[in-house]
Amino acid sequence: MATIHVDGQAFDVDGADNLLQACLTLGLDIPYFCWHPAMGSVGACRQCAVKQYKDADDDQGMLVMSCMTPAADDTWISIDDEEAKAFRQGVIEWLMINHPHDCPVCEEGGHCHLQDMTVMTGHDRRRYRFRKRTHRNQYLGPFIGHEMNRCITCYRCVRFYDDYAGGDDLGAFGANDNIYFGRYQEGVLESVFSGNLTEVCPTGVFTDRTHSERYTRKWDLQFAPSICHQCAVGCNISPGERYGDIRRIENRYHGDLNRYFLCDRGRFGYGYVNRDDRPRLPEWRSDTADQSVTLEVDAALDRGADLLRSARRVIGIGSPRASLESNHQLRELVGEENFSTGIAAREQECLERMRRLNRECGLPTPTLREIEEHDAVLVLGEDLIQSAARVGLSVRQAVLGRREELSRARDIPAWNAEAVKTLGQDSRHPLFIAYPSRTGLDGISEASWALAVDDIARLGFAVAHAIDDAAPPVDDLDEATRAEARRIASALLAARRPLVISGGSLGATAILDAAGNVARALARRARRAGLSLIRREANSTGLSLMGGRPLEWALDELAAQKADAVVVLENDLHVRLPQARVDAALAAAETVIVVDHQRTPTWERAHLGLPAASFAEGDGTLVNFEGRAQRFFQVFEPRYTRPEARIHESWRWLHALEAGLARHQVAGIILDDVTQACASRYPALAGIVEASLDADYRVRGLKLAREPHRYSGRTAMRADLDVSEPRTPQDPDTPFAFSMEGYNGFDRPRKEVAFAWAPGWNSPQAWNKFTDEVGGHLRAGDPGVRLLHPRPGQYAYACDLPRGFTARDDAWQVVVLPRLFGGDETSSRAAPIAERTEPATLTLSTDDAQRLAVAEGETLAMETKNGRLVLPLRLDAALPAGVVGVPAGLAPAPVSGDWATVARVSEQHSDGGDVQARDARRSHGGEDRP
């Protein structure tokens, strides 16, 4: 700790901080541009000047840049000194010389850090009367808009994109006062974290193109605290709504998880919420009718209850993309013995193995923030940038953390970013990756190996044995691999905080067992090690804690006519198992009821379809990959702007069906009751009640506001429908109000913050007002509660080691490779994500392609027991011979580990093959509304 004196007042601060960070943590306002809490200081903008004095008797002082000055003990500074204020005002004026002053048409207006700092410094008159410098803008892809004329040369964009996120296609070009930030030539930004430029940039140079199509000022958006549903990481987000559509998603600060950054799938993949073809009314389709008819709620519930009441047995198929509450209500409706998780058996086996390892391996699961503090990482069977991008970004910071260690040894503070970078150069903590193909982190790894699935597992088992002789050896391992295993083991044992990362992307329990053995070996030798296991979908972990039968069991029960009715919850079964098997099971059922917010092939097979709420229209609880239960809250009431809609949360539909089945009056139900019932029913989920605020929470007697206090036009929102303004929707489920009336300040700490705003701070930098320290944690604690913890005890090593992979002459082993864009069921329905998605291909090694006498781009047919895929060929020199790579997200869904035949498609069938590949992508793709 250190004591600093600011304008005559003494404050205790962290002596490791610079003066800017220390003062902002104290709640004191100093304007700045180039500094960022996650990226440190470079002193480029000169905006954060303060007057520093030698001691209490010094009345002259000198101007210093607070971001480049340590908060040393007995430091005396003045923020309000007139010379410092005049200097800061002058800096703003210099920066604004070439700025276009286009606030009325700029998309950052009301959300702009430059506006905030201009007001803070008191600069309000433009004296420059000459020609401004102008630039030509670039097309940077479907996510990011570009307006270089607004640039103030703070260098934040390239520091984030290149240094922090590892991109290499965005740079600073030029010199002096003519710097251009962009690509060397126009084109799509390649980094999967490019969307963060919209919040990192303090002006409107980089803007959200998905928002531009239907632009709304920040103060006219309605927000709610939410959780990203596009993968299992559980990043916190703030979706903004206007006129019943989600207009943009902003990062919501969480000190343990995403902190300031999101991946592009999470930020731009919301378009499925706005699709025109979404079901918004209950639909009934009889076996004899070609077209469905719409029903009102009561008629739909009556018909659904009658169908279920007349059924001999009802199967319930849940979903890992639905909330815990919805899955619980389905299980209560059909009974525990009739409930399926809706997850394929192989994936469910992996989820069960990961759940057991989290509790029995002896190592805790680190948060994303803690991952950045590990100093040696082993990744088995995951391409983190594709399967859990935000985890991959944290691993990158862990690897680069070696620079900070070197700087500490030389008394260079961690916030001095350029000095740390220059000293560190290419010094990195060791990262080892074993995966069938190249990965997004290979460039910073110490070593990476492209191996078949079984060989990845064998490498992991060998590492565990090298760490602990009690772990089972791999007897027939070649000497080169054994040497690499010893090398990895030595690096992990030499580290202070080693980390093992694996997951279910490749569908191989052998890889998980190997990762578990490494974790167990480290638990016996290293006390601060960690284990992270990556799941696939938003609620995969929560559903595995709840339990249930695999999807194949449910389909078999229906196909064998052991059950004659099925209720499917938010799940397109066709992307999980072969279409023929799914269709046969649904055809055998006399009653098919589907509850979903998307019009999927499974919805089209339903007799009764009930329109569910998406994450933006409903409330619920998810459990992320680290076992953190988190609540997402309804952003808007869909019936307010679309009175004809009959959209409700899935758990509300299922509760009503259960009441109708028992011929009970449908009683009111609120989220707190369902959450409490879910927690009481499943011991492993008992903690979810504490995951968030309950509906009775108030601040000064007020509910929490979903809208900024300047929200405008509310009385005219429905003028095209009715001149009479209806009552504001009421929300009995949460402590939030569908209004600007309510509390939205920062002085009363709370975990759930709908949007970041504080007086004078309209930009995302306002999060600094909500944290206990800049870059720390929310003052009331970060949202969520951890459910998975390692249990003490003796842990037995897995001993079932696979044999080494052997290529076949007549078949190839299928490896399904996760992909960030196009690899999940929901975000792939958003037009910008579809545009960013690479065309699907079959991937073979160069040797295999030569053996088949085929060239890159030729059309190949791959046949497995699950069906036939016809796709163009892509060559990958790193892929092991005997393996064929297939991108995730295709239908029919291939399965990792299966064996397939691969052959060239003849010319006369090549067009049909292209159509099949396109249709496979369309089965869960499409466009949102323009």
Side-chain angles (χ1 to χ4, degrees):
M1 296 296 291
T3 299
I4 65 172
H5 303 266
V6 184
D7 290 314
Q9 288 187 279
F11 299 95
D12 290 330
V13 299
D14 187 344
D17 292 342
N18 57 44
L19 285 175
L20 175 60
Q21 184 165 348
C23 290
L24 291 173
T25 294
L26 292 170
L28 306 174
D29 289 344
I30 300 178
Y32 63 89
F33 287 116
C34 64
W35 176 81
H36 188 280
M39 296 184 288
S41 308
V42 291
C45 69
R46 325 304 290 171
Q47 184 59 69
C48 62
V50 297
K51 181 70 74 67
Q52 182 176 14
Y53 303 94
K54 296 179 181 178
D55 51 39
D57 298 325
D58 183 6
D59 59 1
Q60 296 297 313
M62 61 182 291
L63 290 176
V64 298
M65 301 305 116
S66 59
C67 76
M68 297 299 293
T69 306
D73 193 36
D74 204 30
T75 296
W76 294 75
I77 64 170
S78 173
I79 299 173
D80 293 332
D81 176 79
E82 291 301 323
E83 184 182 3
K85 290 165 66 175
F87 183 87
R88 294 195 297 263
Q89 187 173 7
V91 169
I92 278 283
E93 189 170 23
W94 305 334
L95 294 175
M96 295 291 284
I97 281 178
N98 287 303
H99 192 82
H101 294 76
D102 60 345
C103 299
V105 298
C106 176
E107 293 184 21
E108 286 295 293
H111 191 221
C112 176
H113 186 62
L114 176 61
Q115 283 183 330
D116 291 346
M117 300 300 97
T118 303
V119 172
M120 190 178 293
T121 57
H123 171 62
D124 58 2
R125 292 292 183 273
R126 180 173 55 173
R127 294 185 294 168
Y128 184 77
R129 292 292 182 266
F130 305 98
R131 183 183 298 275
K132 290 179 179 287
R133 174 201 64 212
T134 58
H135 291 290
R136 178 181 178 273
N137 300 320
Q138 292 181 325
Y139 171 76
L140 299 178
F143 298 155
I144 304 297
H146 191 223
E147 179 51 74
M148 252 308 295
N149 293 321
R150 298 171 183 151
C151 182
I152 59 171
T153 325
C154 72
Y155 286 88
R156 266 197 194 179
C157 57
V158 292
R159 290 178 59 217
F160 167 77
Y161 193 92
D162 298 346
D163 299 341
Y164 194 93
D168 57 10
D169 62 320
L170 181 74
F173 304 91
N176 198 13
D177 64 344
N178 189 26
I179 306 293
Y180 188 92
F181 295 92
R183 300 184 84 245
Y184 73 97
Q185 67 178 18
E186 190 170 86
V188 177
L189 287 173
E190 297 172 1
S191 172
V192 301
F193 304 104
S194 64
N196 294 292
L197 294 174
T198 64
E199 294 186 13
V200 166
C201 176
T203 73
V205 176
F206 299 100
T207 56
D208 183 342
R209 287 193 67 195
T210 68
H211 184 208
S212 303
E213 296 172 354
R214 290 167 294 159
Y215 180 73
T216 302
R217 296 290 186 196
K218 178 179 179 178
W219 63 70
D220 278 337
L221 289 173
Q222 181 169 247
F223 298 93
S226 193
I227 306 298
C228 180
H229 279 53
Q230 313 314 327
C231 78
V233 176
C235 294
N236 285 210
I237 57 174
S238 289
E241 171 268 347
R242 183 75 168 180
Y243 291 109
D245 291 329
I246 296 297
R247 299 298 177 88
R248 74 179 302 173
I249 283 180
E250 298 180 13
N251 180 75
R252 180 164 66 100
Y253 189 87
H254 190 295
D256 273 337
L257 280 172
N258 45 293
R259 297 176 73 193
Y260 296 99
F261 306 122
L262 301 172
C263 77
D264 286 354
R265 182 161 84 179
R267 188 182 293 273
F268 302 117
Y270 61 85
Y272 63 93
V273 176
N274 302 335
R275 286 175 64 103
D276 278 337
D277 66 349
R278 276 189 60 189
R280 290 187 167 87
L281 290 167
E283 295 182 8
W284 167 257
R285 182 185 294 102
S286 66
D287 290 328
T288 58
D290 294 331
Q291 298 292 329
S292 62
V293 296
T294 59
L295 303 174
E296 276 298 325
V297 170
D298 288 343
L301 290 174
D302 288 344
R303 192 162 296 187
D306 289 342
L307 290 172
L308 296 179
R309 195 180 301 114
S310 61
R312 291 181 289 104
R313 183 184 175 206
V314 183
I315 295 291
I317 299 179
S319 171
R321 64 175 168 90
S323 68
L324 288 176
E325 289 83 356
S326 295
N327 280 288
H328 163 71
Q329 283 298 129
L330 176 59
R331 186 163 167 167
E332 292 296 294
L333 173 66
V334 302
E336 178 180 351
E337 68 282 358
N338 296 319
F339 177 75
S340 164
T341 60
I343 302 172
R346 186 171 297 185
E347 182 179 355
Q348 184 155 323
E349 185 181 3
C350 289
L351 290 172
E352 176 59 27
R353 193 69 54 92
M354 287 188 275
R355 182 190 65 80
R356 194 164 70 246
L357 286 173
N358 282 138
R359 287 180 168 163
E360 298 178 1
C361 74
L363 294 184
T365 300
T367 66
L368 294 193
R369 188 190 193 102
E370 291 169 344
I371 286 176
E372 298 179 6
E373 299 171 3
H374 285 267
D375 56 348
V377 183
L378 169 63
V379 180
L380 292 174
E382 289 289 333
D383 180 356
L384 292 175
I385 298 300
Q386 299 299 324
S387 61
R390 191 57 186 80
V391 177
L393 187 62
S394 290
V395 169
R396 175 177 169 80
Q397 309 321 308
V399 173
L400 299 182
R402 174 65 176 158
R403 298 174 175 178
E404 295 185 9
E405 285 191 2
L406 295 173
S407 65
R408 280 196 298 271
R410 292 162 176 78
D411 292 328
I412 298 174
W415 48 259
N416 195 339
E418 201 60 28
V420 171
K421 176 184 173 184
T422 301
L423 173 66
Q425 297 293 322
D426 293 329
S427 299
R428 304 184 182 110
H429 286 312
L431 167 65
F432 304 98
I433 303 172
Y435 189 71
S437 182
R438 288 185 287 260
T439 79
L441 293 176
D442 284 355
I444 59 169
S445 67
E446 181 170 318
S448 57
W449 301 272
L451 302 172
V453 171
D454 287 342
D455 290 339
I456 294 172
R458 288 163 61 81
L459 175 63
F461 282 119
V463 172
H465 179 71
I467 295 173
D468 182 6
D469 289 339
V474 185
D475 295 327
D476 55 344
L477 198 65
D478 63 274
E479 188 53 40
T481 305
R482 196 181 305 278
E484 294 299 311
R486 289 194 294 265
R487 173 187 174 192
I488 297 170
S490 297
L492 295 177
L493 287 173
R496 292 178 295 101
R497 300 190 66 179
L499 173 65
V500 181
I501 300 178
S502 188
S505 293
L506 300 179
T509 54
I511 292 178
L512 294 171
D513 286 340
N517 275 18
V518 178
R520 292 181 180 111
L522 287 173
R524 299 179 63 176
R525 301 287 299 275
R527 294 185 177 179
R528 303 193 67 194
L531 172 68
S532 289
L533 299 173
I534 307 303
R535 281 78 163 176
R536 187 161 71 93
E537 294 178 82
N539 209 15
S540 293
T541 309
L543 204 51
S544 70
L545 293 173
M546 181 179 290
R549 307 284 188 94
L551 177 58
E552 287 90 339
W553 168 86
L555 298 185
D556 290 344
E557 294 292 290
L558 292 169
Q561 297 185 345
K562 296 179 180 179
D564 55 348
V566 61
V567 180
V568 182
L569 169 66
E570 298 184 36
N571 201 337
D572 182 10
L573 310 183
H574 296 81
V575 301
R576 300 185 185 274
L577 291 176
Q579 179 178 347
R581 184 173 184 181
V582 173
D583 288 345
L586 296 181
E590 296 179 10
T591 297
V592 179
I593 298 177
V594 176
V595 187
D596 206 343
H597 50 77
Q598 300 298 310
R599 193 175 297 278
T600 68
T602 302
W603 173 280
E604 299 297 342
R605 298 299 305 269
H607 298 109
L608 178 63
L610 301 176
S614 67
F615 75 92
E617 299 144 336
D619 313 289
T621 306
L622 304 175
V623 182
N624 76 342
F625 81 102
E626 56 169 2
R628 185 187 301 270
Q630 300 183 102
R631 192 78 41 81
F632 62 93
F633 293 90
Q634 185 177 5
V635 182
F636 65 99
E637 169 52 58
R639 293 190 64 175
Y640 187 71
T641 53
R642 294 186 177 93
E644 74 283 0
R646 299 296 183 267
I647 293 173
H648 298 288
E649 294 99 333
S650 296
W651 50 264
R652 211 179 291 275
W653 279 118
L654 294 167
H655 167 75
L657 277 178
E658 184 181 8
L661 182 61
R663 300 187 187 276
H664 294 158
Q665 184 71 29
V666 179
I669 185 173
I670 63 172
L671 178 67
D672 287 347
D673 293 341
V674 184
T675 304
Q676 180 63 61
C678 184
S680 301
R681 184 72 173 78
Y682 314 102
L685 300 176
I688 66 173
V689 175
E690 307 300 325
S692 189
L693 307 172
D694 60 33
D696 295 329
Y697 180 85
R698 299 291 186 274
V699 175
R700 300 171 183 165
L702 299 173
K703 296 194 80 169
L704 305 176
R706 278 184 170 93
E707 300 166 357
H709 68 282
R710 291 176 293 181
Y711 191 91
S712 64
R714 188 180 72 178
T715 57
M717 291 285 285
R718 298 174 76 260
D720 61 321
L721 303 175
D722 194 336
V723 295
S724 300
E725 179 192 358
R727 183 188 185 192
T728 301
Q730 303 302 295
D731 187 1
D733 294 307
T734 78
F736 291 90
F738 290 108
S739 170
M740 78 287 287
E741 290 94 4
Y743 179 78
N744 63 7
F746 66 92
D747 57 322
R748 296 296 178 94
R750 62 193 188 282
K751 290 186 177 183
E752 306 293 354
V753 181
F755 56 90
W757 176 88
W761 297 84
N762 298 280
S763 77
Q765 301 300 306
W767 284 112
N768 294 339
K769 295 292 185 179
F770 292 84
T771 53
D772 54 4
E773 61 177 334
V774 173
H777 301 270
L778 295 182
R779 292 205 300 272
D782 296 314
V785 59
R786 296 288 291 271
L787 303 179
L788 286 176
H789 303 281
R791 297 169 177 167
Q794 298 296 319
Y795 310 115
Y797 285 112
C799 297
D800 187 10
L801 279 61
R803 294 183 178 181
F805 174 75
T806 302
R808 298 183 184 176
D809 293 333
D810 59 345
W812 282 257
Q813 189 176 54
V814 176
V815 174
V816 179
L817 303 175
R819 51 178 177 165
L820 191 69
F821 302 129
D824 75 309
E825 188 179 340
T826 50
S827 72
S828 56
R829 292 173 171 268
I833 297 292
E835 183 177 343
R836 188 70 168 80
T837 301
E838 295 289 335
T841 59
L842 294 179
T843 305
L844 290 176
S845 68
T846 305
D847 290 343
D848 283 345
Q850 291 176 352
R851 182 157 61 90
L852 286 171
V854 293
E856 189 162 44
E858 286 193 59
T859 303
L860 300 182
M862 183 189 81
E863 291 196 36
T864 69
K865 62 183 181 182
N866 286 341
R868 185 171 187 261
L869 280 174
V870 181
L871 296 168
L873 170 65
R874 182 176 70 89
L875 298 181
D876 184 350
L879 195 72
V883 169
V884 56
V886 185
L890 299 184
V895 177
S896 284
D898 284 353
W899 289 89
T901 59
V902 178
R904 179 195 287 115
V905 176
S906 60
E907 285 295 326
Q908 60 265 34
H909 297 299
S910 61
D911 290 340
D914 292 341
V915 170
Q916 181 175 343
R918 184 173 67 248
D919 289 345
R921 294 193 295 274
R922 277 182 175 175
S923 68
H924 62 284
E927 297 188 359
D928 56 351
R929 192 166 52 187

